[in-house]
Amino acid sequence: MTFSLVARDPASGAFGMVVTSSSPAVAARCVHLRPGAAGAASQNVTNPELGTKLLDLVESGAAAGDAMAKLLAQEPNTAYRQLSLVDNQGRTAVFSGAKTLGTHRTVEGPAAVAAGNLLSAPGVVDAIMDAYTTATGEFEDRLLAGLLAGRDAGGEEGPEHSAGLVVVDQVSWAVTDLRVDWAEEDPIGQLAEVWKLWEPQKHQYLTRALQPDDAPSYGVPGDL
């Protein structure tokens, strides 16, 4: 059971994804982002390699739709896969195989794709997209607004247990990479709390990496 949102921020060109599932450590398997290239979700009966292959195809010059078509023509077992893709021009592509689990749906929006399987209702995915496209604030805030709306619209058929929020931007590593790998209840709410902790420190960690002479104090014991 999984629902997700992958998007490109039109203001910054950053790629981001939020995802939740009944299984543990969902972000480790389903999130695939590459700065300046694309963002992809690989879910349902997941083969994480497919997300990487979609990113490679876009980075080699394929538009989202062409990349998805090429991947599906080459790969076995696609009936089990649910895939989302957003490229660096904001173009989108989706796929839900014939064996996608339970109630499932994908919605393509402006430089964004929401997708889910084993949902409590198809409208969960619409709620994700609606909330994301109308939210304000930082990119992460808007992504989380979508995930929270999906939860509040009924979420999955069963309980969610893990969630993740990842954003890549102008550097080679993720500028935000937050995960709740297992929670008995409300991992999405817990993820939102972790974002509140990370948000005021996000740019400090970039400064420490890129301009350490200008970095703020670490604020830890022994730091003079």
Side-chain angles (χ1 to χ4, degrees):
M1 310 178 199
T2 306
F3 58 90
S4 66
L5 170 68
V6 58
R8 178 182 182 272
D9 181 23
S12 66
F15 288 96
M17 183 172 164
V18 281
V19 62
T20 188
S21 179
S22 61
S23 61
V26 63
R29 298 184 305 281
C30 297
V31 177
H32 306 274
L33 305 173
R34 190 170 297 167
S42 176
Q43 57 193 51
N44 194 58
V45 181
T46 308
N47 177 359
E49 185 178 38
L50 301 185
T52 301
K53 287 184 175 182
L54 285 170
L55 300 184
D56 289 344
L57 286 164
V58 172
E59 195 165 46
S60 69
D66 294 336
M68 185 71 74
K70 186 171 183 178
L71 178 77
L72 295 173
Q74 296 174 342
E75 292 294 324
N77 303 314
T78 55
Y80 294 92
R81 316 305 183 192
Q82 188 175 48
L83 304 168
S84 306
L85 179 62
V86 181
D87 70 18
N88 54 15
Q89 301 300 311
R91 296 167 296 204
T92 61
V94 296
F95 175 77
S96 294
K99 295 186 179 181
T100 302
L101 298 169
T103 299
H104 57 88
R105 179 166 167 76
T106 60
V107 173
E108 296 173 83
V113 178
N117 56 76
L118 276 172
L119 300 168
S120 64
V124 168
V125 175
D126 300 85
I128 294 169
M129 185 61 72
D130 289 345
Y132 167 70
T133 56
T134 58
T136 58
E138 288 202 46
F139 190 29
E140 288 91 341
D141 288 311
R142 288 175 275 137
L143 291 166
L144 273 170
L147 199 65
L148 288 162
R151 179 199 67 181
D152 295 344
E156 300 176 357
E157 189 66 36
E160 296 92 24
H161 286 302
S162 67
L165 164 64
V166 185
V167 169
V168 298
D169 199 351
Q170 301 297 317
V171 291
S172 61
W173 63 91
V175 296
T176 293
D177 191 350
L178 309 178
R179 306 179 183 195
V180 176
D181 283 339
W182 184 261
E184 288 299 329
E185 60 182 26
D186 197 22
I188 302 172
Q190 293 187 38
L191 183 67
E193 290 300 315
V194 177
W195 164 241
K196 289 180 183 177
L197 176 68
W198 176 250
E199 180 181 9
Q201 302 183 63
K202 172 184 171 182
H203 295 290
Q204 295 177 11
Y205 279 98
L206 276 174
T207 301
R208 287 168 181 156
L210 301 175
Q211 298 172 302
D213 287 343
D214 299 327
S217 169
Y218 296 101
V220 296
D223 178 32
L224 302 177

